[in-house]
Amino acid sequence: MLLKPAPEGTGVIAGGAVRAVMTSVGVQNVLTKSLGSPNPHNVVKPPSRFVQLRDRAEVATMRGKSVEEL
């Protein structure tokens, strides 16, 4: 699965399963391309990793540092 950031206003350019994951995660502008098998399990797995991503403030808090120190 190839996920590329898109310019503001592009929207979610993706197939059905990937589009559902991206919109539920809150990604608004992205281009996607399915490489390899179109099996739904293989297609949904990479974008669903966005749920596990943390923002800079959360990582800084976990490490006991300020955001500027990162």
Side-chain angles (χ1 to χ4, degrees):
M1 178 58 68
L2 180 66
L3 303 170
K4 293 172 56 174
E8 190 68 30
T10 302
V12 178
I13 309 287
V18 177
R19 177 184 302 274
V21 171
M22 291 306 214
T23 54
S24 67
V25 170
V27 177
Q28 296 177 356
N29 299 303
V30 66
L31 301 170
T32 64
K33 175 68 179 166
S34 177
L35 304 173
S37 173
N39 181 339
H41 296 286
N42 294 338
V43 172
V44 171
K45 197 179 291 186
S48 65
R49 301 288 184 206
F50 278 110
V51 175
Q52 299 173 351
L53 294 178
R54 299 183 182 110
D55 63 349
R56 293 176 59 94
E58 186 178 351
V59 173
T61 304
M62 287 176 27
R63 294 181 183 178
K65 298 185 178 192
S66 68
V67 176
E68 293 79 28
E69 289 180 294
L70 296 180

